[in-house]
């Protein structure tokens, strides 16, 4: 059981470049989430997917798009990266988003936008 | 607008002593609170939670206390061990997992 996996672990982009962060879970969870963590701030929710086929905006969605490819995979896309998107990105999953349950986090992707 | 605040960025305690990590919140709709622990280069992992219908929850060396009137919760670790050295995040939600709010974290260092 790998839990939640994320690729890549680290990425450097130039302003204006695009990239997709990949996330997969093998726990058969219905709900998946993307967070970003910045110094001095807590994790902030970017987008979530309550179930396969649905996605919704979180607290800080601007500049991002997501795709829930299937039950296992939830990707985060930056179409035109900006320095303000330099952050550590965490993917998480939980059995169901409509209940208050533990979320299981991946190891994170560290993104630097120059 | 940070609805969950951890005002101490860091805390250092001696092995065997008590560690007390604090968290304050502003949203009175929050009804479920969690503590996550994070080691470097890893994702946060769940530690302990408490529902707003309780004021205390224990799990081994870890106890979370909730004071709803003060909108304050705390995590007690007794006795503290060097392996407890990590960043601890407080989190809160109102009704579901779709809008979980996290504090900025407190870095705990337990000295041998």
């Amino acid at each position: 059981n790998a839990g939640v996996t994320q690729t890549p672990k680290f990425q450097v982009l130039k302003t204006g470049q695009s990239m997709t962060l990949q996330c997969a879970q093998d726990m058969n969870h219905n709900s998946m989430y993307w967070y970003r963590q910045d110094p001095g701030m807590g994790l902030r929710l970017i987008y979530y997917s309550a179930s396969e086929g649905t996605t919704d905006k979180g607290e800080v969605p601007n500049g991002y798009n997501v795709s829930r490819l299937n039950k296992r995979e939830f990707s985060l896309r930056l179409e035109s990266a900006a320095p303000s998107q330099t952050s550590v990105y965490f993917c998480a999953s939980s059995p169901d988003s409509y209940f208050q349950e533990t979320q299981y986090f991946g190891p994170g992707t560290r993104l630097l936008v120059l | 607008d940070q609805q969950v605040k951890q005002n101490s960025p860091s805390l250092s305690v001696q092995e065997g002593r008590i560690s007390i990590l604090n968290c304050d919140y502003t949203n009175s709709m929050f009804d479920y609170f969690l503590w996550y622990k994070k080691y470097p280069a890893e994702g946060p992992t769940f530690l302990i939670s408490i529902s707003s219908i309780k004021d205390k929850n224990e799990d081994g060396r870890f106890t979370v206390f909730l004071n709803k009137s003060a909108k304050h919760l705390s995590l007690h670790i007794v006795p503290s061990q060097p392996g407890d050295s990590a960043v601890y995040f407080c989190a809160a939600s109102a009704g579901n997992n779709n809008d979980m709010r996290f504090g900025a974290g407190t870095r705990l260092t337990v000295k041998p």
Side-chain angles (χ1 to χ4, degrees):
Chain A
N1 240 6
V4 179
T5 56
Q6 293 183 235
T7 55
K9 285 187 168 53
F10 180 70
Q11 184 73 45
V12 179
L13 289 179
K14 293 181 180 177
T15 297
Q17 287 185 316
S18 62
M19 80 163 293
T20 300
L21 284 66
Q22 307 285 356
C23 173
Q25 53 92 10
D26 62 2
M27 295 175 282
N28 201 36
H29 286 169
N30 286 315
S31 303
M32 298 184 74
Y33 314 82
W34 275 106
Y35 290 90
R36 60 178 287 174
Q37 185 197 2
D38 300 296
M41 304 191 74
L43 282 76
R44 292 181 294 167
L45 184 64
I46 304 171
Y47 270 93
Y48 68 94
S49 171
S51 60
E52 187 179 352
T54 69
T55 61
D56 282 289
K57 294 178 181 179
E59 186 184 354
V60 289
N62 291 347
Y64 305 95
N65 285 302
V66 290
S67 296
R68 183 74 182 267
L69 305 168
N70 47 54
K71 192 171 186 179
R72 288 188 65 247
E73 298 171 290
F74 188 38
S75 63
L76 179 72
R77 183 159 178 85
L78 287 71
E79 290 291 351
S80 178
S84 61
Q85 294 178 304
T86 292
S87 188
V88 181
Y89 291 85
F90 290 101
C91 177
S93 71
S94 69
D96 195 314
S97 70
Y98 296 109
F99 300 100
Q100 289 163 318
E101 300 166 316
T102 303
Q103 293 182 10
Y104 297 82
F105 286 84
T109 294
R110 188 174 295 273
L111 177 66
L112 175 62
V113 182
L114 301 175
Chain B
D1 173 28
Q2 276 203 282
Q3 299 183 29
V4 178
K5 296 180 183 178
Q6 294 176 256
N7 292 319
S8 298
S10 63
L11 174 68
S12 181
V13 299
Q14 211 64 36
E15 182 179 5
R17 306 293 292 268
I18 184 171
S19 295
I20 300 176
L21 293 88
N22 294 304
C23 178
D24 297 295
Y25 62 95
T26 57
N27 188 342
S28 57
M29 299 300 291
F30 288 147
D31 59 359
Y32 189 62
F33 304 88
L34 309 92
W35 285 93
Y36 283 86
K37 176 179 180 179
K38 184 184 179 305
Y39 293 117
E42 295 183 10
T45 55
F46 170 74
L47 188 59
I48 192 168
S49 63
I50 187 167
S51 163
S52 60
I53 62 173
K54 295 185 175 182
D55 54 20
K56 178 182 173 181
N57 189 26
E58 280 183 83
D59 184 1
R61 296 185 297 113
F62 303 92
T63 303
V64 56
F65 295 92
L66 175 62
N67 182 334
K68 289 185 289 293
S69 60
K71 295 191 179 69
H72 177 84
L73 65 156
S74 61
L75 174 68
H76 292 209
I77 306 173
V78 184
S80 300
Q81 299 173 354
D84 296 329
S85 297
V87 177
Y88 290 78
F89 291 100
C90 170
S93 69
N96 60 55
N97 265 2
N98 296 338
D99 194 16
M100 185 92 55
R101 299 296 175 119
F102 287 78
T106 296
R107 182 178 302 278
L108 173 66
T109 303
V110 180
K111 297 179 179 178

